[in-house]
Amino acid sequence: MTPFHFTAGTLPLLVSIPHAGTQLTPEVDAGLSDAARGLPDTDWHISLLYDFVRDLGASVLIGHYSRFVIDLNRPPDNQPLYSTATTGLYPETLFDGTPTFAAGKTPDAATRQEYLETIWQPYHQQIQQELARLKAQHGYALLFDAHSIASVIPRLFDGQLPDVNVGTNDGASCSPAVTDAIKAVCSAQTRYSWVVNGRFKGGYITRAYGQPAQGVQAVQLELAQRNYMDETPPFTWQQARATQLQTLLKPLIQAFLQAGKPV
């Protein structure tokens, strides 16, 4: 399987979806623990939830492989992004701390290096190429990194996660105007709880490519999955909840597009 699916759009916006993939390599498929077999840490249905951005004219990049093969939102040197509990470039544990692989079944270093070269690098090369194209065409580029996660994971955060978790690398990945516009959209509604730069400040993609001074603004959005799907297997899509959530996502994207324009 190819590492990703990419569709070029007409707007200065690239929507990246790195964690929706479920494809496994033979080595990972053979080695997963029973707890990991159902791919519980997948960003389930995110591609479907954000399908509306295609009609708007956004470019869309979707990773095909499971994060259990290699995590596209971690740095290639596997340095931790958070001082609190997290998972790495090659996740050894699930979000709840359970081992990802059965004893003695972890892919070896050479195999994982191949994943870096044939899965991780092509995805990031596509991001770089598309951002360059958008800058050449529009004079600037916007990157929206779309994620979701179960709303209760004690190992990663206390209590229940807010519904909408915006990450801007503590303001470094986008302009204050973009942050203010997103906050305004969130503040204008009361159905969903929200936070900016809370537990999730943005992963490697947001931090690496969000460079406002160079004409690239990046925002990560981590959604609590309870608002559009069932958080327990088989992780069923819930259309009514998803449709309601899109009434917030659509103005958030529009606000990003409007506020991200150069002054």
Side-chain angles (χ1 to χ4, degrees), residues 16 20 31 38 53 140 183 216:
S16 162
V53 300
Y140 67 105
K183 286 181 175 179
V216 179

PDB file of all heavy atoms in Angstrom, residues 16 20 31 38 53 140 183 216:
ATOM      1  N   SER A  16      -4.053  17.870   7.204  1.00  0.00           N
ATOM      2  CA  SER A  16      -3.250  16.660   7.411  1.00  0.00           C
ATOM      3  C   SER A  16      -3.967  15.751   8.407  1.00  0.00           C
ATOM      4  O   SER A  16      -4.410  16.203   9.461  1.00  0.00           O
ATOM      5  CB  SER A  16      -1.864  17.054   7.946  1.00  0.00           C
ATOM      6  OG  SER A  16      -1.213  15.966   8.546  1.00  0.00           O
ATOM      7  N   ALA A  20      -5.275   8.317  11.088  1.00  0.00           N
ATOM      8  CA  ALA A  20      -6.491   7.578  10.760  1.00  0.00           C
ATOM      9  C   ALA A  20      -6.188   6.229  10.112  1.00  0.00           C
ATOM     10  O   ALA A  20      -7.094   5.419   9.922  1.00  0.00           O
ATOM     11  CB  ALA A  20      -7.389   8.402   9.838  1.00  0.00           C
ATOM     12  N   GLY A  31       3.202  -9.210  15.239  1.00  0.00           N
ATOM     13  CA  GLY A  31       3.730  -8.994  16.576  1.00  0.00           C
ATOM     14  C   GLY A  31       2.820  -8.300  17.569  1.00  0.00           C
ATOM     15  O   GLY A  31       3.132  -8.258  18.755  1.00  0.00           O
ATOM     16  N   GLY A  38      -6.976  -4.669  18.057  1.00  0.00           N
ATOM     17  CA  GLY A  38      -8.098  -3.884  17.539  1.00  0.00           C
ATOM     18  C   GLY A  38      -7.750  -2.447  17.199  1.00  0.00           C
ATOM     19  O   GLY A  38      -8.634  -1.648  16.896  1.00  0.00           O
ATOM     20  N   VAL A  53     -14.121  19.374   4.000  1.00  0.00           N
ATOM     21  CA  VAL A  53     -13.076  20.323   3.585  1.00  0.00           C
ATOM     22  C   VAL A  53     -12.735  20.173   2.106  1.00  0.00           C
ATOM     23  O   VAL A  53     -12.234  21.116   1.484  1.00  0.00           O
ATOM     24  CB  VAL A  53     -11.799  20.190   4.449  1.00  0.00           C
ATOM     25  CG1 VAL A  53     -12.115  20.450   5.911  1.00  0.00           C
ATOM     26  CG2 VAL A  53     -11.115  18.853   4.251  1.00  0.00           C
ATOM     27  N   TYR A 140       1.160  32.381   0.816  1.00  0.00           N
ATOM     28  CA  TYR A 140       1.187  31.863   2.189  1.00  0.00           C
ATOM     29  C   TYR A 140       0.520  30.497   2.183  1.00  0.00           C
ATOM     30  O   TYR A 140      -0.099  30.089   1.184  1.00  0.00           O
ATOM     31  CB  TYR A 140       0.466  32.802   3.159  1.00  0.00           C
ATOM     32  CG  TYR A 140      -1.029  32.908   2.934  1.00  0.00           C
ATOM     33  CD1 TYR A 140      -1.931  32.267   3.788  1.00  0.00           C
ATOM     34  CD2 TYR A 140      -1.546  33.650   1.863  1.00  0.00           C
ATOM     35  CE1 TYR A 140      -3.297  32.356   3.583  1.00  0.00           C
ATOM     36  CE2 TYR A 140      -2.910  33.742   1.654  1.00  0.00           C
ATOM     37  CZ  TYR A 140      -3.783  33.094   2.510  1.00  0.00           C
ATOM     38  OH  TYR A 140      -5.141  33.189   2.300  1.00  0.00           O
ATOM     39  N   LYS A 183     -10.495  31.070  19.050  1.00  0.00           N
ATOM     40  CA  LYS A 183     -11.108  31.249  20.374  1.00  0.00           C
ATOM     41  C   LYS A 183     -12.495  31.888  20.254  1.00  0.00           C
ATOM     42  O   LYS A 183     -13.426  31.519  20.983  1.00  0.00           O
ATOM     43  CB  LYS A 183     -10.218  32.124  21.250  1.00  0.00           C
ATOM     44  CG  LYS A 183      -8.966  31.439  21.773  1.00  0.00           C
ATOM     45  CD  LYS A 183      -8.174  32.401  22.660  1.00  0.00           C
ATOM     46  CE  LYS A 183      -6.976  31.723  23.296  1.00  0.00           C
ATOM     47  NZ  LYS A 183      -6.195  32.667  24.136  1.00  0.00           N
ATOM     48  N   VAL A 216       3.854  30.274   6.876  1.00  0.00           N
ATOM     49  CA  VAL A 216       3.113  29.031   7.106  1.00  0.00           C
ATOM     50  C   VAL A 216       2.533  29.051   8.513  1.00  0.00           C
ATOM     51  O   VAL A 216       3.274  29.134   9.496  1.00  0.00           O
ATOM     52  CB  VAL A 216       4.001  27.788   6.929  1.00  0.00           C
ATOM     53  CG1 VAL A 216       3.187  26.519   7.207  1.00  0.00           C
ATOM     54  CG2 VAL A 216       4.600  27.732   5.532  1.00  0.00           C
TER      55      VAL A 216
END
